[in-house]
Amino acid sequence: QVQLVESGGGLVQPGGSLRLSCAASGSTFSINTMGWYRQAPGKQRELVATVTRGGSTNYVDSVKGRFTISMDNAKGSVYLQMESLKTEDTAVYYCRATRYGREYWGKGTLVTVSS
């Protein structure tokens, strides 16, 4: 089993920055992919970014050039550095990990971008 706990959400003005963290615990060895997803009010959950143990990354087009995902393999942690935030980035951000074909989710952290 893998447990995921997100942190770092909050209220930020448009154009501001935030750094989300997700700490994994439990059977963190052999986690092969970690990622961030988000769900805005009234919308479906969507992929934001993923990173593999080998360092390959993938981003949704709307955050390319603004967000950076990184993974600390030793700690089993994943981070999302968010720059130039927009009001449309407002959502609950969820951490996801995959291990041996199973997926694990955190409970989410709220990011609100508003003036």
Side-chain angles (χ1 to χ4, degrees), residues 62-68 81-86 89:
S62 60
V63 308
K64 286 181 179 177
R66 300 189 298 122
F67 291 10
T68 304
Q81 180 67 42
M82 304 186 293
E83 307 283 350
S84 302
L85 283 160
K86 305 176 181 180
D89 294 318

Side-chain angles (χ1 to χ4, degrees), residues 15-94:
S17 302
L18 276 177
R19 187 173 194 248
L20 303 183
S21 299
C22 173
S25 61
S27 300
T28 61
F29 62 93
S30 296
I31 288 177
N32 50 23
T33 302
M34 297 189 79
W36 290 95
Y37 292 70
R38 66 186 179 187
Q39 186 166 18
K43 294 187 177 182
Q44 290 187 333
R45 190 174 298 188
E46 65 169 354
L47 166 72
V48 177
T50 61
V51 59
T52 68
R53 178 172 288 271
S56 296
T57 58
N58 179 53
Y59 298 90
V60 67
D61 286 346
S62 60
V63 308
K64 286 181 179 177
R66 300 189 298 122
F67 291 10
T68 304
I69 190 169
S70 60
M71 182 174 173
D72 185 326
N73 292 336
K75 294 182 178 180
S77 297
V78 65
Y79 309 94
L80 187 68
Q81 180 67 42
M82 304 186 293
E83 307 283 350
S84 302
L85 283 160
K86 305 176 181 180
T87 54
E88 52 263 42
D89 294 318
T90 294
V92 178
Y93 284 70
Y94 297 90

